[in-house]
């Protein structure tokens, strides 16, 4: 090494706060004999270094090659500096900066070191439910502002005791500068309460009482990282039925939590990809193919063929799930809310909102700065894919394929998320939910403001869905529509789906986009949902669609698939009485629907693939009424998965109409009716239907590719959450030589729409030409 000192100032950006980055820098610098300092700033981490050139080069290499497990270093800017003759290396106080921002770490699951201490009788944190270190624990849910220091978190209420302070200041300790550091002497604690708020027990006694209550079949509300769970014995049909009745959730699947990967494998099929997701630091709920001999009660996830499983991700979960004789093998662990309301977050709120559901409440006194639902993932076509993106993933951004203006995208009506963009980052919010009540709208508005403050955002462009009645669209119009300093950009729903898929693959297009879902407002004022687009980020052309059919009763048909089935059959000129499932309906109901369809009275026209799935489910006899969104289609998918090999796909006709390809479903209905009359089993018919849709998609893509020369296909929309459909479609397209883009960072459902809205608005504001060569002006 050269003995001549050199000096450099490094600025690191990314997830570099709250993840042990400064302790790592301190250790690395001292190992290499470098002097200087490190500090947090509002934009990242600054590092001043002095030493030999070779040591500085090795430091830079290891800084990006060997960062802490939870760190994600996006960028390191290096500037030459004048030597200052530092004496050793130090961690300096944080430096607030005006207007700048940094990436924020999501909450992460308890690390193995902390879990080991949790069950070590000789450790001072033995059975302490809030143990954490720089490698794990709460982050996003405790941060009130940046830079990430304890006074700006909800842990500010808990001054560290002498021993915790010593750990915090010891560079050799893994709790060195761990902002949530705490112990039983100085940190938060739990207690057990009645629905009236009366305290029954504290600390270890409270946890023991909760375990006894769960083993006895009671429903318990548990305060966690980002809000409350409702828990009960997942192996008890009576306990699950009690929870469903009180929560007003008759059929929608419930997630379960188990203590170990081995137990998860007793509930569902766990391959390497599923195991990797289950044990990842994010600890999402993972949808597994349910085992026939699963000990979980059948009413946990009826009719789905799957079960959502997660492993413990907090010390409290580990303590509650600790295996013992007589304790349930699995616990239902579902969001603490009534159906379609936001998750309850704080103690008084939970007692008020959940008091009629839970018999006991396990509360704690660590504040929560942001609601945080569990994330849901599934492995489809060999790849992990998000169904709901929240805990563990948000607020980490999606990288945009450009640096653009600051945009706020308001998102859709259902499965809402919103999205802000700044520079090359898209900050997609955690799952908000369906904007159908004041509570969720209030949660939405508060979350908007929290993100804006956290990332120092001042957007001048607002993107929203074209549907005039969506609450998010109304909010955009009312709050910013008349503001001369804001530009409002309307984005078609299915274009947003395809744009989101392109963005997460780092692409701008053009591509052939296949967007299949339940509802999206079309440029012609009709309800779209079975769309083939030639699209890039700035624009699109509707190159194909599913043939339209009426929806008797409008939105009522979503909850009554038999109405959609009647509309489909009548539009095809077929006799409803020929179908056993429709012949069983009351004659008055059939007559009313027939008049609606004939007169076009409250029977809007749609090209929705989601509604087609619902109709086929009703015609086969799977389900005529639903209690939650997409229930009929989910149960139809489960039957198709059960059947396996499909046999001959049901046929569609493909014809050109006004320059676009139209998929005619009437041949499908005729073939399906023949199978119904022949007594074919529902599973076989479900499989043939899925195979028919996949084959029709591939054929339509082929016609569009022939005229455009495009060989990239983007698949998006809620129908592509269907594991059977996505796998069959993607495999067939790849077999024909196409490059297939499917979601792996954001959900294919409406949870990803805000990302697409933001990308479309940014592209238009930047003046990018669209797929038709048109230059957009907004």
């Amino acid at each position: 090494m050269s003995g001549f000192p050199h000096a450099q100032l490094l600025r690191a950006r990314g997830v570099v706060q709250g993840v042990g980055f400064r302790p790592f820098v301190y250790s690395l610098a001292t190992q290499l004999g470098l002097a200087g300092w490190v500090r947090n700033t509002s934009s990242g981490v600054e590092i001043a270094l002095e030493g030999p050139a070779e040591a500085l080069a090795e430091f830079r290499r290891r800084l990006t090659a060997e960062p802490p497990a939870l760190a994600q270093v996006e960028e390191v800017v290096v500037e030459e500096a004048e030597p200052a003759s530092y004496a050793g290396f130090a961690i300096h106080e944080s430096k607030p900066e005006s207007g700048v921002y940094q990436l924020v770490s999501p909450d992460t699951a308890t690390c193995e070191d902390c879990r080991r201490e949790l069950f070590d009788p000789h450790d001072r944190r033995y059975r302490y439910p809030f143990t954490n270190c720089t490698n794990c624990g709460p982050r996003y849910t405790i941060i009130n502002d940046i830079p990430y220091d304890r006074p700006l978190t909800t842990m500010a209420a808990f001054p560290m005791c002498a021993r915790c302070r010593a750990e915090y200041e010891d560079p050799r300790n893994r709790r060195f500068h761990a902002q949530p550091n705490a112990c039983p002497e100085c940190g938060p604690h739990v207690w057990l309460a009645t629905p009236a708020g009366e305290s029954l027990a504290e600390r270890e006694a409270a946890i023991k009482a909760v375990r006894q209550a769960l083993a006895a079949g009671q429903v318990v509300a548990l305060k966690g990282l980002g809000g409350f769970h409702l828990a009960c014995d997942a192996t008890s049909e009576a306990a699950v039925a009690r929870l469903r009745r009180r929560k007003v959730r008759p059929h929608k699947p419930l997630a379960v939590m188990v203590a170990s990967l081995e137990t998860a494998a007793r509930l569902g099929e766990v391959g390497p990809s599923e195991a990797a997701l289950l044990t990842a630091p994010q600890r999402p709920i993972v949808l597994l193919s349910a085992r026939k001999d699963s000990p979980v009660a059948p009413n946990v996830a009826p009719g789905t063929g799957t079960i959502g499983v997660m492993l413990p991700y907090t010390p409290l979960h580990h303590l509650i799930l600790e295996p013992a004789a007589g304790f349930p093998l699995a616990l239902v662990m579902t969001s603490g809310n009534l159906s379609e309301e936001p998750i309850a977050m704080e103690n008084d709120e939970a007692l008020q909102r959940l008091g009629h559901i839970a018999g006991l409440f396990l509360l704690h006194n660590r504040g929560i700065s942001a609601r945080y639902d569990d994330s849901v993932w599934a492995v489809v076509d060999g790849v992990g894919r998000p169904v709901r993106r929240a805990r563990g993933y948000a607020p980490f951004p999606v990288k945009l394929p450009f640096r653009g203006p600051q945009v706020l995208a308001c998102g859709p009506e259902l499965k809402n998320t919103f999205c802000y963009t700044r520079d090359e980052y898209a900050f997609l919010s955690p799952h908000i939910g369906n904007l159908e009540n004041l509570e969720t709208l209030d949660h939405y508005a508060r979350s908007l403001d929290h993100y804006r403050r956290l990332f120092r955002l001042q957007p001048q462009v607002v993107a929203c869905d074209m549907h005039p009645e969506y609450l998010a669209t109304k909010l955009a119009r009312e709050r910013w529509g008349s503001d001369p300093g804001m530009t409002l950009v309307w984005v078609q729903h299915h274009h947003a789906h395809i744009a989101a898929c392109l963005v997460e693959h780092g692409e701008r297009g053009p591509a052939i986009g296949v967007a299949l879902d339940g509802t999206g407002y079309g440029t012609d004022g009709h309800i779209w949902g079975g769309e083939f687009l030639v699209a890039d980020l700035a624009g699109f052309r509707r190159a194909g669609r599913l043939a339209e059919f009426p929806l008797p009763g409008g939105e009522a048909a979503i909850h009554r698939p038999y109405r959609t089935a009647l509309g489909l059959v009548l539009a095809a000129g077929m006799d409803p009485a020929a179908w056993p499932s429709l012949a069983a309906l009351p004659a008055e109901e059939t007559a009313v629907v027939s008049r609606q369809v004939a007169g076009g009275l409250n029977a809007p026209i749609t090209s929705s693939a989601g509604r087609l799935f619902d109709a086929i489910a009703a015609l086969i006899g799977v389900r005529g009424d639903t209690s939650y969104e997409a229930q009929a289609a989910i149960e139809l998918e489960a039957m198709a998965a059960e059947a396996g090999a499909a046999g001959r796909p049901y046929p569609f006709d493909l014809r050109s109409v006004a320059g676009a390809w139209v998929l005619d479903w009437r041949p499908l209905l005729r073939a399906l009716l023949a199978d119904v009359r022949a007594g074919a089993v529902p599973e076989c018919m479900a499989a043939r239907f899925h195979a028919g849709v996949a084959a029709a998609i591939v054929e339509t893509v082929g016609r569009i590719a022939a005229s455009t020369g495009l060989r990239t296909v983007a698949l998006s929309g809620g129908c592509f959450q269907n594991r059977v459909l996505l796998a069959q479609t993607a495999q067939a397209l790849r077999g024909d030589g196409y490059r297939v883009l499917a979601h792996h960072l954001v959900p294919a459902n409406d949870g990803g729409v805000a990302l697409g809205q933001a990308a479309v608005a940014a592209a238009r504001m930047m003046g990018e030409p669209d797929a038709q060569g048109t230059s957009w002006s907004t």
Side-chain angles (χ1 to χ4, degrees), residues 439-452:
E439 293 85 358
T440 308
L441 195 60
D442 179 68
H443 169 34
Y444 174 81
R446 290 174 182 270
S447 300
L448 279 175
D449 290 341
H450 185 61
Y451 255 49
R452 182 178 49 79

Side-chain angles (χ1 to χ4, degrees), residues 13 42-43 97-103 146 397-400 402-408 419-428 451-459 758 762:
R13 295 192 66 212
S42 298
S43 59
E97 301 169 295
S98 176
V100 299
Y101 71 105
Q102 62 171 281
L103 307 188
I146 55 172
V398 176
K399 206 79 171 283
L400 294 167
F402 53 77
R403 287 177 68 91
Q406 289 194 32
V407 175
L408 164 60
C419 184
Y420 284 100
T421 66
R422 183 169 183 177
D423 301 325
E424 71 272 34
Y425 297 120
F427 296 98
L428 188 66
Y451 255 49
R452 182 178 49 79
R453 182 177 65 253
L454 203 58
F455 298 112
R456 306 295 193 261
L457 296 158
Q458 294 181 312

Side-chain angles (χ1 to χ4, degrees), residues 325-345:
F327 191 76
L329 192 70
L331 296 179
V332 166
M333 201 72 75
T334 189
S335 299
N337 59 2
L338 271 177
S339 292
E340 307 310 333
E341 288 185 359
I343 184 173
M345 188 170 79

Side-chain angles (χ1 to χ4, degrees), residues 110-155:
T110 304
C111 69
E112 187 55 33
D113 287 332
C114 285
R115 193 199 67 81
R116 187 166 51 249
E117 290 174 349
L118 185 68
F119 292 106
D120 180 359
H122 304 292
D123 193 277
R124 74 187 189 93
R125 290 185 175 83
Y126 175 58
R127 302 190 70 79
Y128 180 57
F130 300 96
T131 185
N132 64 82
C133 69
T134 54
N135 299 320
C136 69
R139 298 294 189 273
Y140 171 68
T141 55
I142 64 170
I143 295 174
N144 291 321
D145 206 346
I146 55 172
Y148 176 56
D149 289 313
R150 194 175 181 111
L152 295 179
T153 74
T154 61
M155 287 297 294

Side-chain angles (χ1 to χ4, degrees), residues 46-287:
E46 284 185 348
I47 309 164
L49 294 172
E50 288 182 0
E54 292 88 343
L56 290 172
E58 179 65 5
F59 179 94
R60 294 193 304 271
R61 184 191 70 80
R62 293 174 63 182
L63 186 72
T64 56
E66 304 171 6
L70 300 182
Q72 298 196 43
V73 183
E74 293 282 309
E75 179 184 47
V76 178
V77 176
V78 181
E79 297 178 12
E80 298 300 321
E82 289 295 322
S85 301
Y86 295 116
F89 197 87
I91 295 181
H92 284 184
E93 288 188 6
S94 298
K95 175 189 174 185
E97 301 169 295
S98 176
V100 299
Y101 71 105
Q102 62 171 281
L103 307 188
V104 173
S105 172
D107 293 24
T108 54
T110 304
C111 69
E112 187 55 33
D113 287 332
C114 285
R115 193 199 67 81
R116 187 166 51 249
E117 290 174 349
L118 185 68
F119 292 106
D120 180 359
H122 304 292
D123 193 277
R124 74 187 189 93
R125 290 185 175 83
Y126 175 58
R127 302 190 70 79
Y128 180 57
F130 300 96
T131 185
N132 64 82
C133 69
T134 54
N135 299 320
C136 69
R139 298 294 189 273
Y140 171 68
T141 55
I142 64 170
I143 295 174
N144 291 321
D145 206 346
I146 55 172
Y148 176 56
D149 289 313
R150 194 175 181 111
L152 295 179
T153 74
T154 61
M155 287 297 294
F158 303 96
M160 281 183 276
C161 66
R163 287 194 287 180
C164 284
R165 173 61 64 178
E167 293 170 334
Y168 182 85
E169 295 175 350
D170 181 359
R172 298 161 297 180
N173 195 292
R174 78 175 195 281
R175 293 188 170 91
F176 183 41
H177 280 246
Q179 303 306 326
N181 191 30
C183 74
E185 182 180 337
C186 64
H189 70 278
V190 298
W191 69 95
L192 188 66
T194 67
E198 178 188 358
S199 180
L200 299 175
E202 292 194 0
R203 302 179 189 269
E204 181 62 24
I207 294 172
K208 182 179 179 181
V210 163
R211 284 172 55 85
Q212 291 171 343
L214 290 167
Q218 293 192 47
V219 176
V220 180
L222 309 171
K223 186 178 182 182
L225 282 175
F228 278 77
H229 279 122
L230 291 166
C232 73
D233 180 358
T235 67
S236 166
E237 288 197 53
V240 174
R242 185 177 302 114
L243 172 59
R244 285 195 176 281
R245 184 173 62 254
R246 296 176 181 176
K247 188 175 160 70
V248 194
R249 187 170 174 168
H251 304 111
K252 192 174 182 180
L254 301 167
V256 302
M257 182 179 282
V258 296
S260 68
L261 191 62
E262 292 73 23
T263 306
R266 293 182 58 183
L267 275 56
E269 302 295 335
V270 178
S273 297
E274 288 85 358
L277 279 171
L278 284 165
T279 58
Q282 296 87 354
R283 290 292 198 280
I285 298 167
V286 181
L287 299 180

Side-chain angles (χ1 to χ4, degrees), residues 562 565-570 573-587 589-591 594 619 673 676-677:
Y562 72 83
L566 273 169
L568 198 72
V569 166
L570 290 168
M574 302 175 78
D575 181 3
W579 299 84
S581 60
L582 300 182
L585 293 173
E589 177 85 356
T590 302
S594 297
L619 291 174
L673 181 57
V676 169
R677 287 172 166 169

